[in-house]
Amino acid sequence: MLCQEDNEVVEKLFKEVEKCHHEEPENFKSLFIQQQQKALSCTDNRSRRWHPLIIRWCFQLYSSSPKAYQFLKDSGVLLLPDKRTLRDYSNCFKVDSGFDSEFLDLVKKDFINRSNPKDYDVWVGIIHDEVSLRKDLVFDDSGKLIGFVNLGSVQNSMDDLEQCLSAKQTSPTTPEEATHMFVFMAVSLFSDWKMPVAFFPTTTIKAYALFNLFWKCVEELEQRDFKVLTSTCDGASPHRRFYKYHCPPGAPKGTIIYKTNNHYAFEKRPLYFICDPVHLLKTTRNNWENSFWRNKTKKLRNNGMWVTWLQLIDAFENDVNSSNASGLRLLHKLTADHIFLNPYLRMRVYLAAQVFSNRVAHAITEQGKPGTQETVKFVKQMNDFFDCLNANRINTRFEFKSVYRTQLDGRLHWLENDFLKYFQDWKDWAMGQEDVPLAEHKQYFISDQTWEGLQICVKSFVEVVRFSLDIPGVNFVVATKFNQDVLEKFFGKLRQKRGAYGAFTCKEFIHSYCSSVFSQSHAIKTVRRIKRGGGALEDLDVDLPLPKRRKER
């Protein structure tokens, strides 16, 4: 209950909003106050009926913070739907592991119902990655035991056969408990639509299993009139081996596989593999960090000059010490976290991006120490690489941040010719040193995995941009559509809903997944436009209905 003073404040607020209702009948506030008045007039809570837009707004608030929503409801300031009512809507998205035909049909329906549809929105990319799970076996509501590895009936049978043959057993093998959840997400390359399409409980996924699951995902999407153009993932060893499965017959050893034919497409078109540029930035930074520092597994050297992490530490300490008198720093963004990394800090993207910056290159140059020219060049190359693959501004005066609008963009030429040539020349120089043992040659250059990932990423990205600009109606290409940030944010939302630290169990993941998928749907995302539109409802599908779970009687 509210005190007298709070009650007067709330009453005044309602009168102001009611006045707004008469002045602006197409405003969200007016709709909200109408619903509040309607709810107040109901003598029985069970007789309340909520407008679809109010349900969507409440679910968006609840998905952001369940505790804040419950606090607001319990305070009595506003009359809001109960969280069980919201769950009746989110539970309509009942999803099981694997490729669920009914759920994929809902995905297609959600795509059709999106705002301002365009013909070229059907071009999508597939992003796939895995998240850690905590082992736990539980029964779900239907009495099914969940928590085991489940990659589909065919793949499970193949794994059982492989285990029996390797162990020479005739009896059925015991299924493994899942330690990871592998997720596929479809992302429209030329609109803001995105949706997870399938998940699989697994251990660390094997390349041959990924091959089968990936092409099944492509088949399911192509059958529902999507056009799959790209596949984005990190540089883990199963993913690199998955690329090599697409090597054409007779190709020479060491051929970089960055595209293949999409055999499920109605017309002949390629499908491009893209290594996540964010992941490549971090692995390249890790190579530099290991050069005479940390694990000391690298001795990066180019044109007779060392490229070491100690040079960065020296520049950082010099910048801090020289700023004591004036208080001004050239490397004002760099902290000890950038330099002295732990496993958690190595996962932070901004720490790697700020190390590979023109400011760092300038600071090393300003020191004037001999033998640092190659380090400066290395930092600048990686800075420009990340700028090219992070361009997402439609209206900006900075060319390197602008989206791609023409196939003759100079950044594409630089990536193809200058960037790859820089690393190829570095590798040729390192392998050509005859005065050192053969094993030490590789220590002079970045790891083979990182170099392969850079080549795949650049070659695919350049061709994808040029291919996309030939699609009718596509006027520009946003580079950030080809990284894993969307899927990583989705994983972050799952962790936020769980409300605790540590890994999920399989059951917790599935519960959070269903709720998060519902919040990703067009019906919920439309509510976010209320804020951008200042509360106006003209461009919103206000009466868009929401499916609701039917209660069993």
Side-chain angles (χ1 to χ4, degrees):
M1 297 294 293
L2 299 177
C3 65
Q4 181 65 28
E5 183 180 355
D6 291 339
N7 188 64
E8 292 176 358
V9 172
V10 173
E11 185 178 357
K12 181 180 179 181
L13 175 64
F14 271 72
K15 288 181 178 179
E16 290 179 358
V17 179
E18 188 175 7
K19 181 181 177 181
C20 174
H21 161 63
H22 294 296
E23 295 176 355
E24 300 178 55
E26 296 299 326
N27 191 281
F28 175 72
K29 290 184 291 185
S30 64
L31 175 64
F32 186 82
I33 197 62
Q34 278 183 351
Q35 290 293 300
Q36 290 294 301
Q37 291 174 339
K38 189 176 179 181
L40 284 169
S41 64
C42 294
T43 56
D44 189 352
N45 293 347
R46 293 173 297 180
S47 64
R48 291 175 182 169
R49 297 295 181 266
W50 300 97
H51 192 278
L53 189 60
I54 300 300
I55 291 291
R56 286 144 64 185
W57 180 82
C58 290
F59 190 88
Q60 182 65 31
L61 178 61
Y62 179 79
S63 63
S64 299
S65 177
K67 290 185 178 180
Y69 180 86
Q70 192 61 37
F71 176 80
L72 186 61
K73 184 180 184 303
D74 294 341
S75 67
V77 175
L78 297 175
L79 294 177
L80 300 174
D82 190 76
K83 59 184 180 181
R84 292 187 62 184
T85 302
L86 300 180
R87 280 203 296 267
D88 286 340
Y89 288 94
S90 63
N91 286 345
C92 269
F93 282 79
K94 278 293 184 183
V95 189
D96 199 1
S97 61
F99 296 104
D100 188 335
S101 296
E102 292 184 2
F103 173 71
L104 290 172
D105 290 339
L106 284 175
V107 170
K108 174 62 177 177
K109 184 178 180 181
D110 178 75
F111 177 77
I112 293 174
N113 292 333
R114 70 197 186 281
S115 301
N116 300 322
K118 302 290 191 302
D119 292 340
Y120 50 78
D121 291 350
V122 296
W123 292 90
V124 300
I126 296 176
I127 305 176
H128 46 93
D129 199 2
E130 58 189 15
V131 63
S132 297
L133 292 181
R134 188 172 72 253
K135 290 184 178 181
D136 187 37
L137 298 177
V138 295
F139 289 97
D140 63 6
D141 298 336
S142 62
K144 179 182 176 182
L145 187 62
I146 60 175
F148 288 119
V149 171
N150 183 11
L151 298 176
S153 58
V154 176
Q155 191 62 51
N156 291 342
S157 300
M158 291 174 62
D159 291 342
D160 291 342
L161 177 61
E162 182 184 14
Q163 291 182 19
C164 289
L165 293 175
S166 61
K168 296 182 179 180
Q169 297 175 351
T170 56
S171 59
T173 58
T174 303
E176 293 183 90
E177 292 185 59
T179 59
H180 293 78
M181 192 68 78
F182 198 85
V183 179
F184 288 97
M185 174 180 274
V187 178
S188 177
L189 299 178
F190 311 115
S191 71
D192 61 352
W193 182 87
K194 53 187 176 291
M195 183 69 73
V197 294
F199 63 90
F200 296 87
T202 180
T203 55
T204 301
I205 197 164
K206 299 178 178 63
Y208 64 84
L210 175 57
F211 181 91
N212 296 330
L213 295 177
F214 174 79
W215 283 107
K216 179 63 176 176
C217 183
V218 174
E219 180 186 11
E220 294 287 349
L221 291 174
E222 290 282 351
Q223 287 178 351
R224 289 167 174 81
D225 299 327
F226 291 100
K227 295 183 178 182
V228 181
L229 183 61
T230 63
S231 165
T232 304
C233 59
D234 59 27
S237 56
H239 297 155
R240 295 196 308 273
R241 199 173 297 114
F242 161 71
Y243 295 154
K244 293 177 182 178
Y245 286 168
H246 300 86
C247 183
K253 185 179 180 180
T255 301
I256 301 298
I257 308 300
Y258 65 94
K259 65 178 179 179
T260 188
N261 291 325
N262 187 343
H263 301 290
Y264 293 102
F266 293 107
E267 72 279 8
K268 184 179 180 181
R269 68 171 183 268
L271 191 151
Y272 295 95
F273 304 119
I274 300 179
C275 285
D276 181 26
V278 173
H279 181 266
L280 291 173
L281 189 76
K282 291 187 289 186
T283 56
T284 306
R285 187 275 316 276
N286 295 343
N287 276 264
W288 187 18
E289 185 195 8
N290 286 327
S291 181
F292 294 97
W293 186 256
R294 200 186 131 208
N295 296 334
K296 299 182 179 179
T297 55
K298 288 292 180 182
K299 300 177 182 178
L300 298 183
R301 192 181 185 193
N302 190 10
N303 293 327
M305 299 181 187
W306 300 106
V307 179
T308 74
W309 193 254
L310 295 170
Q311 294 167 337
L312 176 64
I313 295 176
D314 191 31
F316 172 71
E317 292 178 345
N318 179 72
D319 183 64
V320 172
N321 294 333
S322 62
S323 67
N324 289 337
S326 63
L328 301 176
R329 289 184 56 196
L330 179 60
L331 303 177
H332 62 279
K333 291 186 179 180
L334 257 61
T335 64
D337 288 345
H338 292 76
I339 310 298
F340 307 104
L341 301 165
N342 57 39
Y344 172 76
L345 294 176
R346 288 188 187 93
M347 298 299 293
R348 303 295 88 191
V349 178
Y350 76 94
L351 295 181
Q354 291 172 353
V355 162
F356 286 121
S357 66
N358 285 329
R359 280 184 174 272
V360 170
H362 184 63
I364 296 175
T365 303
E366 283 296 309
Q367 275 190 290
K369 290 194 174 183
T372 58
Q373 290 88 338
E374 286 300 327
T375 302
V376 171
K377 191 174 182 180
F378 171 59
V379 171
K380 287 184 176 180
Q381 290 286 328
M382 291 305 302
N383 172 76
D384 294 344
F385 162 78
F386 192 62
D387 284 344
C388 289
L389 278 88
N390 199 41
N392 59 357
R393 303 289 181 84
I394 297 178
N395 299 311
T396 179
R397 60 189 179 90
F398 299 106
E399 181 182 357
F400 64 91
K401 292 183 179 180
S402 177
V403 295
Y404 292 84
R405 299 181 184 273
T406 172
Q407 296 176 343
L408 301 178
D409 194 299
R411 291 170 292 180
L412 300 178
H413 181 273
W414 179 85
L415 285 169
E416 264 188 319
N417 298 279
D418 298 348
F419 179 74
L420 291 183
K421 184 177 183 300
Y422 165 76
F423 280 96
Q424 186 62 55
D425 291 345
W426 184 356
K427 182 179 181 181
D428 293 341
W429 182 89
M431 296 298 116
Q433 300 307 299
E434 299 179 354
D435 56 338
V436 295
L438 183 62
E440 196 169 338
H441 286 181
K442 289 189 175 182
Q443 294 183 334
Y444 284 176
F445 188 59
I446 60 176
S447 65
D448 293 339
Q449 296 87 346
T450 302
W451 170 225
E452 181 185 15
L454 287 172
Q455 293 178 87
I456 293 172
C457 180
V458 169
K459 290 176 181 290
S460 294
F461 178 77
V462 171
E463 289 198 17
V464 165
V465 171
R466 289 172 176 164
F467 181 94
S468 300
L469 291 172
D470 277 336
I471 298 174
V474 175
N475 298 320
F476 58 85
V477 177
V478 180
T480 51
K481 286 288 184 179
F482 307 104
N483 61 36
Q484 280 188 296
D485 286 355
V486 174
L487 187 54
E488 293 296 340
K489 288 179 181 178
F490 180 73
F491 288 155
K493 288 181 180 179
L494 295 182
R495 297 186 185 98
Q496 180 185 5
K497 289 181 184 300
R498 184 170 178 269
Y501 294 102
F504 300 95
T505 64
C506 191
K507 184 178 181 181
E508 289 171 343
F509 178 90
I510 294 174
H511 180 268
S512 297
Y513 182 91
C514 294
S515 178
S516 295
V517 165
F518 181 65
S519 66
Q520 286 284 116
S521 65
H522 164 70
I524 299 302
K525 289 194 294 184
T526 304
V527 181
R528 301 172 193 168
R529 298 174 59 192
I530 293 175
K531 179 180 178 181
R532 294 197 296 266
L537 303 180
E538 295 88 359
D539 298 329
L540 297 180
D541 192 354
V542 178
D543 297 317
L544 179 66
L546 292 174
K548 185 178 180 180
R549 182 185 64 175
R550 293 184 178 273
K551 296 183 179 179
E552 298 180 1
R553 298 185 182 276

